[in-house]
Short mmCIF file of all heavy atoms in Angstrom, two decimals:
data_model
loop_
_atom_site.label_atom_id
_atom_site.label_comp_id
_atom_site.label_asym_id
_atom_site.label_seq_id
_atom_site.Cartn_x
_atom_site.Cartn_y
_atom_site.Cartn_z
N VAL A 8 0.86 -1.17 0.00
CA VAL A 8 0.00 0.00 0.00
C VAL A 8 0.90 1.22 0.00
O VAL A 8 1.73 1.39 0.89
CB VAL A 8 -0.93 0.02 1.24
CG1 VAL A 8 -1.81 1.25 1.20
CG2 VAL A 8 -1.76 -1.24 1.28
N HIS A 9 0.76 2.05 -1.03
CA HIS A 9 1.61 3.22 -1.19
C HIS A 9 0.84 4.49 -0.86
O HIS A 9 -0.37 4.51 -0.87
CB HIS A 9 2.10 3.34 -2.65
CG HIS A 9 2.89 2.17 -3.12
ND1 HIS A 9 2.31 0.95 -3.40
CD2 HIS A 9 4.22 2.03 -3.38
CE1 HIS A 9 3.24 0.11 -3.82
NE2 HIS A 9 4.40 0.74 -3.81
N THR A 10 1.56 5.52 -0.58
CA THR A 10 0.97 6.85 -0.54
C THR A 10 1.92 7.80 -1.23
O THR A 10 3.14 7.57 -1.23
CB THR A 10 0.69 7.31 0.90
OG1 THR A 10 -0.03 8.55 0.84
CG2 THR A 10 1.97 7.53 1.69
N ALA A 11 1.41 8.84 -1.83
CA ALA A 11 2.27 9.77 -2.54
C ALA A 11 3.19 10.46 -1.55
O ALA A 11 2.81 10.81 -0.44
CB ALA A 11 1.42 10.82 -3.27
N ALA A 12 4.43 10.66 -1.94
CA ALA A 12 5.39 11.36 -1.10
C ALA A 12 4.93 12.80 -0.89
O ALA A 12 4.28 13.39 -1.74
CB ALA A 12 6.77 11.34 -1.75
N ALA A 13 5.26 13.31 0.28
CA ALA A 13 4.83 14.67 0.60
C ALA A 13 5.46 15.65 -0.39
O ALA A 13 6.66 15.68 -0.57
CB ALA A 13 5.25 15.01 2.02
N VAL A 14 4.64 16.38 -1.04
CA VAL A 14 5.14 17.39 -1.96
C VAL A 14 4.53 18.72 -1.56
O VAL A 14 3.45 18.78 -1.01
CB VAL A 14 4.75 17.07 -3.43
CG1 VAL A 14 5.55 15.90 -3.94
CG2 VAL A 14 3.27 16.81 -3.57
N ARG A 15 5.25 19.75 -1.83
CA ARG A 15 4.79 21.08 -1.47
C ARG A 15 3.76 21.52 -2.49
O ARG A 15 4.10 21.87 -3.61
CB ARG A 15 5.98 22.03 -1.44
CG ARG A 15 5.70 23.31 -0.67
CD ARG A 15 6.99 24.06 -0.43
NE ARG A 15 6.74 25.30 0.26
CZ ARG A 15 6.54 25.40 1.56
NH1 ARG A 15 6.54 24.32 2.30
NH2 ARG A 15 6.33 26.58 2.13
N GLN A 16 2.49 21.48 -2.09
CA GLN A 16 1.43 21.84 -3.00
C GLN A 16 0.92 23.25 -2.69
O GLN A 16 1.04 23.73 -1.57
CB GLN A 16 0.27 20.85 -2.89
CG GLN A 16 0.63 19.47 -3.40
CD GLN A 16 -0.58 18.54 -3.34
OE1 GLN A 16 -1.45 18.70 -2.51
NE2 GLN A 16 -0.62 17.56 -4.22
N ARG A 17 0.37 23.86 -3.72
CA ARG A 17 -0.21 25.19 -3.53
C ARG A 17 -1.40 25.08 -2.58
O ARG A 17 -2.27 24.24 -2.79
CB ARG A 17 -0.65 25.73 -4.88
CG ARG A 17 -0.82 27.23 -4.92
CD ARG A 17 -0.98 27.67 -6.34
NE ARG A 17 -2.35 28.16 -6.55
CZ ARG A 17 -2.83 28.47 -7.74
NH1 ARG A 17 -2.10 28.32 -8.81
NH2 ARG A 17 -4.05 28.92 -7.86
N PRO A 18 -1.46 25.91 -1.53
CA PRO A 18 -2.58 25.81 -0.60
C PRO A 18 -3.91 26.13 -1.27
O PRO A 18 -3.99 26.99 -2.14
CB PRO A 18 -2.24 26.85 0.49
CG PRO A 18 -1.26 27.78 -0.15
CD PRO A 18 -0.51 26.97 -1.16
N VAL A 19 -4.95 25.40 -0.84
CA VAL A 19 -6.30 25.59 -1.39
C VAL A 19 -7.19 26.16 -0.30
O VAL A 19 -7.18 25.70 0.84
CB VAL A 19 -6.86 24.24 -1.89
CG1 VAL A 19 -8.29 24.41 -2.41
CG2 VAL A 19 -5.97 23.66 -2.98
N PHE A 20 -7.98 27.15 -0.66
CA PHE A 20 -8.90 27.78 0.29
C PHE A 20 -9.84 26.71 0.85
O PHE A 20 -10.42 25.93 0.09
CB PHE A 20 -9.71 28.87 -0.42
CG PHE A 20 -10.41 29.82 0.51
CD1 PHE A 20 -9.76 30.95 0.99
CD2 PHE A 20 -11.72 29.59 0.91
CE1 PHE A 20 -10.40 31.83 1.85
CE2 PHE A 20 -12.37 30.46 1.77
CZ PHE A 20 -11.70 31.59 2.24
N PRO A 21 -9.99 26.62 2.19
CA PRO A 21 -10.81 25.55 2.77
C PRO A 21 -12.29 25.68 2.46
O PRO A 21 -12.86 26.78 2.52
CB PRO A 21 -10.55 25.68 4.29
CG PRO A 21 -10.04 27.07 4.48
CD PRO A 21 -9.36 27.47 3.21
N PHE A 22 -12.92 24.56 2.16
CA PHE A 22 -14.33 24.54 1.78
C PHE A 22 -15.21 25.07 2.90
O PHE A 22 -16.17 25.81 2.66
CB PHE A 22 -14.73 23.10 1.43
CG PHE A 22 -16.13 22.96 0.89
CD1 PHE A 22 -16.39 23.16 -0.45
CD2 PHE A 22 -17.19 22.62 1.73
CE1 PHE A 22 -17.69 23.03 -0.95
CE2 PHE A 22 -18.48 22.49 1.24
CZ PHE A 22 -18.72 22.69 -0.11
N THR A 23 -14.90 24.71 4.15
CA THR A 23 -15.74 25.11 5.27
C THR A 23 -15.63 26.59 5.59
O THR A 23 -16.42 27.11 6.39
CB THR A 23 -15.40 24.28 6.52
OG1 THR A 23 -13.98 24.36 6.76
CG2 THR A 23 -15.78 22.83 6.33
N ALA A 24 -14.67 27.28 4.99
CA ALA A 24 -14.52 28.72 5.24
C ALA A 24 -15.28 29.56 4.22
O ALA A 24 -15.37 30.79 4.38
CB ALA A 24 -13.03 29.10 5.21
N ILE A 25 -15.82 28.93 3.20
CA ILE A 25 -16.51 29.68 2.14
C ILE A 25 -17.85 30.21 2.67
O ILE A 25 -18.67 29.46 3.20
CB ILE A 25 -16.73 28.80 0.90
CG1 ILE A 25 -15.37 28.46 0.27
CG2 ILE A 25 -17.62 29.51 -0.13
CD1 ILE A 25 -15.43 27.43 -0.82
N VAL A 26 -18.03 31.52 2.52
CA VAL A 26 -19.22 32.20 3.04
C VAL A 26 -20.27 32.32 1.94
O VAL A 26 -19.96 32.69 0.80
CB VAL A 26 -18.85 33.60 3.57
CG1 VAL A 26 -20.10 34.35 4.04
CG2 VAL A 26 -17.85 33.50 4.70
N GLY A 27 -21.53 32.01 2.28
CA GLY A 27 -22.62 32.18 1.32
C GLY A 27 -22.63 31.09 0.25
O GLY A 27 -22.00 30.04 0.38
N GLN A 28 -23.36 31.36 -0.85
CA GLN A 28 -23.49 30.44 -1.99
C GLN A 28 -23.91 29.05 -1.53
O GLN A 28 -23.38 28.03 -1.99
CB GLN A 28 -22.18 30.38 -2.81
CG GLN A 28 -21.58 31.71 -3.19
CD GLN A 28 -22.52 32.58 -4.02
OE1 GLN A 28 -23.67 32.24 -4.25
NE2 GLN A 28 -22.03 33.72 -4.47
N GLU A 29 -24.89 29.01 -0.61
CA GLU A 29 -25.32 27.74 -0.02
C GLU A 29 -25.89 26.78 -1.07
O GLU A 29 -25.73 25.57 -0.98
CB GLU A 29 -26.37 27.99 1.07
CG GLU A 29 -25.87 28.85 2.22
CD GLU A 29 -24.63 28.28 2.89
OE1 GLU A 29 -24.55 27.04 3.02
OE2 GLU A 29 -23.74 29.06 3.28
N GLU A 30 -26.57 27.32 -2.07
CA GLU A 30 -27.18 26.48 -3.10
C GLU A 30 -26.12 25.71 -3.88
O GLU A 30 -26.25 24.51 -4.11
CB GLU A 30 -28.01 27.36 -4.05
CG GLU A 30 -28.90 26.60 -4.97
CD GLU A 30 -29.84 27.49 -5.78
OE1 GLU A 30 -30.87 27.91 -5.23
OE2 GLU A 30 -29.53 27.76 -6.95
N MET A 31 -25.05 26.40 -4.25
CA MET A 31 -23.97 25.75 -4.99
C MET A 31 -23.27 24.71 -4.12
O MET A 31 -23.01 23.58 -4.58
CB MET A 31 -22.96 26.80 -5.48
CG MET A 31 -21.68 26.23 -6.04
SD MET A 31 -20.60 27.47 -6.79
CE MET A 31 -20.24 28.55 -5.42
N LYS A 32 -22.99 25.05 -2.88
CA LYS A 32 -22.28 24.13 -2.00
C LYS A 32 -23.11 22.87 -1.75
O LYS A 32 -22.58 21.75 -1.76
CB LYS A 32 -21.93 24.82 -0.67
CG LYS A 32 -20.87 25.89 -0.81
CD LYS A 32 -20.33 26.36 0.54
CE LYS A 32 -21.35 27.13 1.32
NZ LYS A 32 -20.76 27.74 2.55
N LEU A 33 -24.42 23.03 -1.54
CA LEU A 33 -25.28 21.88 -1.31
C LEU A 33 -25.31 20.96 -2.52
O LEU A 33 -25.18 19.73 -2.39
CB LEU A 33 -26.70 22.34 -0.97
CG LEU A 33 -27.74 21.24 -0.75
CD1 LEU A 33 -27.36 20.38 0.45
CD2 LEU A 33 -29.14 21.81 -0.57
N ALA A 34 -25.45 21.53 -3.71
CA ALA A 34 -25.50 20.71 -4.93
C ALA A 34 -24.20 19.92 -5.11
O ALA A 34 -24.22 18.73 -5.47
CB ALA A 34 -25.75 21.61 -6.15
N LEU A 35 -23.06 20.55 -4.85
CA LEU A 35 -21.77 19.88 -5.00
C LEU A 35 -21.62 18.74 -3.98
O LEU A 35 -21.19 17.63 -4.32
CB LEU A 35 -20.63 20.88 -4.84
CG LEU A 35 -20.47 21.89 -5.97
CD1 LEU A 35 -19.49 23.00 -5.58
CD2 LEU A 35 -19.99 21.21 -7.25
N LEU A 36 -22.00 18.99 -2.73
CA LEU A 36 -21.88 17.97 -1.69
C LEU A 36 -22.76 16.76 -1.99
O LEU A 36 -22.33 15.61 -1.82
CB LEU A 36 -22.25 18.56 -0.33
CG LEU A 36 -21.24 19.55 0.28
CD1 LEU A 36 -21.84 20.23 1.51
CD2 LEU A 36 -19.93 18.87 0.63
N LEU A 37 -23.98 17.01 -2.46
CA LEU A 37 -24.89 15.90 -2.76
C LEU A 37 -24.37 15.05 -3.92
O LEU A 37 -24.52 13.83 -3.91
CB LEU A 37 -26.29 16.43 -3.08
CG LEU A 37 -27.01 17.17 -1.94
CD1 LEU A 37 -28.42 17.56 -2.37
CD2 LEU A 37 -27.05 16.34 -0.67
N ASN A 38 -23.73 15.68 -4.89
CA ASN A 38 -23.15 14.92 -6.02
C ASN A 38 -21.94 14.11 -5.60
O ASN A 38 -21.67 13.06 -6.19
CB ASN A 38 -22.79 15.87 -7.15
CG ASN A 38 -23.93 16.09 -8.12
OD1 ASN A 38 -24.10 15.36 -9.09
ND2 ASN A 38 -24.76 17.09 -7.83
N VAL A 39 -21.23 14.57 -4.59
CA VAL A 39 -20.10 13.79 -4.07
C VAL A 39 -20.63 12.56 -3.33
O VAL A 39 -20.08 11.46 -3.45
CB VAL A 39 -19.23 14.66 -3.14
CG1 VAL A 39 -18.27 13.80 -2.33
CG2 VAL A 39 -18.44 15.68 -3.96
N ILE A 40 -21.71 12.75 -2.58
CA ILE A 40 -22.30 11.63 -1.84
C ILE A 40 -22.88 10.60 -2.80
O ILE A 40 -22.71 9.39 -2.62
CB ILE A 40 -23.39 12.14 -0.87
CG1 ILE A 40 -22.75 13.01 0.22
CG2 ILE A 40 -24.17 10.99 -0.24
CD1 ILE A 40 -23.74 13.81 1.03
N ASP A 41 -23.57 11.06 -3.84
CA ASP A 41 -24.14 10.16 -4.85
C ASP A 41 -23.82 10.70 -6.25
O ASP A 41 -24.58 11.48 -6.81
CB ASP A 41 -25.65 10.03 -4.68
CG ASP A 41 -26.27 9.03 -5.66
OD1 ASP A 41 -25.50 8.40 -6.41
OD2 ASP A 41 -27.50 8.88 -5.65
N PRO A 42 -22.69 10.27 -6.84
CA PRO A 42 -22.31 10.76 -8.18
C PRO A 42 -23.34 10.45 -9.26
O PRO A 42 -23.35 11.09 -10.31
CB PRO A 42 -20.99 10.02 -8.46
CG PRO A 42 -20.46 9.64 -7.11
CD PRO A 42 -21.67 9.38 -6.27
N LYS A 43 -24.25 9.47 -8.99
CA LYS A 43 -25.26 9.12 -10.00
C LYS A 43 -26.34 10.19 -10.14
O LYS A 43 -27.19 10.09 -11.02
CB LYS A 43 -25.89 7.77 -9.65
CG LYS A 43 -24.92 6.60 -9.84
CD LYS A 43 -25.60 5.28 -9.55
CE LYS A 43 -24.62 4.12 -9.75
NZ LYS A 43 -25.23 2.82 -9.43
N ILE A 44 -26.30 11.21 -9.30
CA ILE A 44 -27.22 12.35 -9.47
C ILE A 44 -27.00 12.98 -10.84
O ILE A 44 -27.94 13.45 -11.47
CB ILE A 44 -27.04 13.37 -8.33
CG1 ILE A 44 -27.63 12.81 -7.03
CG2 ILE A 44 -27.71 14.71 -8.67
CD1 ILE A 44 -27.35 13.65 -5.80
N GLY A 45 -25.77 13.02 -11.30
CA GLY A 45 -25.52 13.44 -12.68
C GLY A 45 -24.82 14.77 -12.87
O GLY A 45 -24.85 15.34 -13.95
N GLY A 46 -24.17 15.27 -11.81
CA GLY A 46 -23.39 16.49 -11.98
C GLY A 46 -24.17 17.77 -11.69
O GLY A 46 -25.37 17.75 -11.42
N VAL A 47 -23.45 18.89 -11.76
CA VAL A 47 -24.03 20.19 -11.43
C VAL A 47 -23.68 21.20 -12.51
O VAL A 47 -22.54 21.27 -12.96
CB VAL A 47 -23.48 20.73 -10.09
CG1 VAL A 47 -24.27 21.96 -9.64
CG2 VAL A 47 -23.47 19.68 -9.02
N MET A 48 -24.67 21.98 -12.90
CA MET A 48 -24.45 23.14 -13.76
C MET A 48 -24.59 24.38 -12.89
O MET A 48 -25.64 24.57 -12.25
CB MET A 48 -25.48 23.15 -14.89
CG MET A 48 -25.35 24.33 -15.83
SD MET A 48 -23.82 24.25 -16.77
CE MET A 48 -23.85 25.86 -17.55
N ILE A 49 -23.54 25.19 -12.82
CA ILE A 49 -23.56 26.39 -11.98
C ILE A 49 -23.54 27.62 -12.88
O ILE A 49 -22.57 27.86 -13.60
CB ILE A 49 -22.33 26.42 -11.04
CG1 ILE A 49 -22.27 25.15 -10.19
CG2 ILE A 49 -22.36 27.66 -10.16
CD1 ILE A 49 -20.95 24.95 -9.48
N MET A 50 -24.61 28.36 -12.85
CA MET A 50 -24.68 29.58 -13.66
C MET A 50 -24.77 30.79 -12.73
O MET A 50 -25.53 30.78 -11.76
CB MET A 50 -25.92 29.55 -14.57
CG MET A 50 -25.87 28.48 -15.63
SD MET A 50 -24.54 28.70 -16.83
CE MET A 50 -25.28 29.89 -17.95
N GLY A 51 -23.96 31.80 -13.03
CA GLY A 51 -24.01 32.98 -12.18
C GLY A 51 -23.03 34.04 -12.60
O GLY A 51 -22.31 33.91 -13.60
N ASP A 52 -23.00 35.10 -11.82
CA ASP A 52 -22.16 36.25 -12.12
C ASP A 52 -20.69 35.89 -12.04
O ASP A 52 -20.29 34.95 -11.36
CB ASP A 52 -22.46 37.39 -11.12
CG ASP A 52 -23.93 37.75 -11.10
OD1 ASP A 52 -24.58 37.62 -12.15
OD2 ASP A 52 -24.43 38.18 -10.04
N ARG A 53 -19.89 36.69 -12.71
CA ARG A 53 -18.43 36.53 -12.63
C ARG A 53 -17.95 36.89 -11.22
O ARG A 53 -18.53 37.74 -10.55
CB ARG A 53 -17.74 37.45 -13.65
CG ARG A 53 -18.01 37.09 -15.08
CD ARG A 53 -17.27 38.04 -16.02
NE ARG A 53 -17.81 39.40 -15.91
CZ ARG A 53 -18.84 39.86 -16.59
NH1 ARG A 53 -19.49 39.05 -17.43
NH2 ARG A 53 -19.26 41.10 -16.44
N GLY A 54 -16.85 36.25 -10.80
CA GLY A 54 -16.24 36.61 -9.52
C GLY A 54 -17.05 36.23 -8.30
O GLY A 54 -16.96 36.87 -7.25
N THR A 55 -17.86 35.16 -8.39
CA THR A 55 -18.68 34.75 -7.25
C THR A 55 -18.14 33.49 -6.58
O THR A 55 -18.85 32.85 -5.80
CB THR A 55 -20.14 34.52 -7.70
OG1 THR A 55 -20.16 33.77 -8.92
CG2 THR A 55 -20.86 35.84 -7.91
#
């Protein structure tokens, strides 16, 4: 059983710190739980 060696990766903004946009976050989480839902189309303003 292998694991990737520790590499210095660019930090990613934590999901739990994201404020607002509850509709988008809920849709993404549900698709992770059940990928057979069929994906998410996110339409909205730039910079959101």
Side-chain angles (χ1 to χ4, degrees):
V8 180
H9 300 72
T10 187
V14 288
R15 198 168 178 80
Q16 292 183 331
R17 200 169 112 188
V19 177
F20 196 87
F22 186 85
T23 52
I25 293 170
V26 177
Q28 311 301 6
E29 300 303 322
E30 192 172 280
M31 170 173 61
K32 291 192 291 188
L33 178 63
L35 290 169
L36 289 170
L37 296 184
N38 271 271
V39 166
I40 294 167
D41 183 3
K43 290 182 179 178
I44 287 172
V47 190
M48 179 67 189
I49 304 167
M50 294 296 278
D52 305 329
R53 294 181 294 273
T55 45

